[in-house]
Amino acid sequence: NGGEANVVITKSVASDNTADGASILVSDAAGGGAPEAGALEVVLEHVTMSGNGRDGLLVDGNSDVGDVTVGIEKGEFSGNGADGIDVEANGDGSSLNVVLLDVVADDNCGGGQDHNIELDEQGAGNFVASLTNVRANGCKADDNIDIDEFGDGDLTVTLDSVEASGAIGGDADGIEIVEEDVGTLTLNIDGRVTVNGNGDDGLNVAVDADPSPTIAPGGAFDHVRGKDNGSGLRVIVRNNGATVTALADN
């Protein structure tokens, strides 16, 4: 009813469970009506959440939950049955801010549309994601890293020293970044991004919005290294005269 939820987990192991390693939920899943919660903030440092039956980490802000912020530094989220890391902000006006630093999330995804790392924002707020020194290889079902903005806000993604290789499956990308509604997608690539040997694209950047969105990368793609993928670097802009701006220096 308007209060804030702040969760800090440090130097902890939550592994080898039949369900999730850790679930941090604000929702009306019990059918009691939509919560009117304030901001949800989750901070994890020096954690291991591996070998679980479902997600390694699930952070789920639903209904009318306010802004969601997730920061993870030095975490291992590998070998889980669903997503290694699954962060969702589904509130009507929610914004989502995610920072991942020194994170490993390999070999997750038992099936379906699971990912090593899945970050989704479906509200009207903006979505900012920063991934630094992140490794997410060998997803068994879908994209290694999947970042989606479904709401009306803008999406800004920064990648610096990210490896997302060996995703298994014909539609599996190394990294997929999608802006699906009104708003601007800004992609900054500040350090090397390696996307080798994936089933589909190494890096797939797409605006599939209506009307007239833009892709406006703040950095060129000259730090991207990818080979032996089913496809290569794919940039897709659809619907109503959407434009591409300053996509690459070369």
Side-chain angles (χ1 to χ4, degrees):
N1 291 324
E4 295 184 355
N6 299 285
V7 180
V8 179
I9 302 174
T10 62
K11 296 182 180 179
S12 300
V13 177
S15 297
D16 302 320
N17 299 294
T18 57
D20 302 315
S23 297
I24 300 169
L25 310 175
V26 179
S27 75
D28 59 345
E36 298 177 358
L40 170 62
E41 180 176 318
V42 179
V43 177
L44 285 77
E45 298 177 350
H46 297 274
V47 298
T48 301
M49 298 177 182
S50 298
N52 299 291
R54 298 197 304 243
D55 300 325
L57 170 68
L58 172 62
V59 179
D60 193 357
N62 276 315
S63 299
D64 293 330
V65 175
D67 297 341
V68 178
T69 302
V70 177
I72 303 174
E73 181 176 0
K74 299 187 185 305
E76 172 84 29
F77 305 86
S78 298
N80 296 288
D83 302 312
I85 299 171
D86 185 359
V87 178
E88 300 183 15
N90 300 319
D92 291 340
S94 294
S95 66
L96 175 60
N97 295 280
V98 179
V99 177
L100 305 182
L101 174 63
D102 297 334
V103 167
V104 176
D106 291 336
D107 301 318
N108 298 288
C109 326
Q113 294 182 320
D114 301 324
H115 308 279
N116 282 326
I117 298 174
E118 180 173 11
L119 309 175
D120 289 340
E121 192 272 321
Q122 301 193 40
N126 296 326
F127 179 8
V128 178
S130 176
L131 283 66
T132 302
N133 195 22
V134 171
R135 192 182 78 203
N137 295 328
C139 183
K140 300 179 179 67
D142 209 324
D143 311 317
N144 280 319
I145 299 175
D146 184 81
I147 301 174
D148 291 322
E149 207 283 330
F150 296 102
D152 291 342
D154 297 332
L155 171 59
T156 301
V157 178
T158 300
L159 305 176
D160 187 350
S161 301
V162 175
E163 181 177 354
S165 299
I168 300 170
D171 295 325
D173 301 325
I175 303 172
E176 181 178 79
I177 301 170
V178 180
E179 165 64 64
E180 298 231 12
D181 211 323
V182 177
T184 297
L185 167 57
T186 301
L187 174 59
N188 304 300
I189 299 179
D190 294 337
R192 176 167 290 195
V193 174
T194 303
V195 282
N196 295 330
N198 297 290
D200 198 359
D201 303 319
L203 173 62
N204 182 356
V205 183
V207 170
D208 196 3
D210 179 8
S212 297
T214 60
I215 298 179
F221 288 128
D222 55 357
H223 292 298
V224 178
R225 301 291 183 269
K227 60 183 180 180
D228 301 325
N229 298 291
S231 184
L233 169 63
R234 179 177 298 181
V235 180
I236 303 170
V237 185
R238 300 187 180 97
N239 293 338
N240 282 354
T243 59
V244 180
T245 305
L247 205 51
D249 290 342
N250 50 26

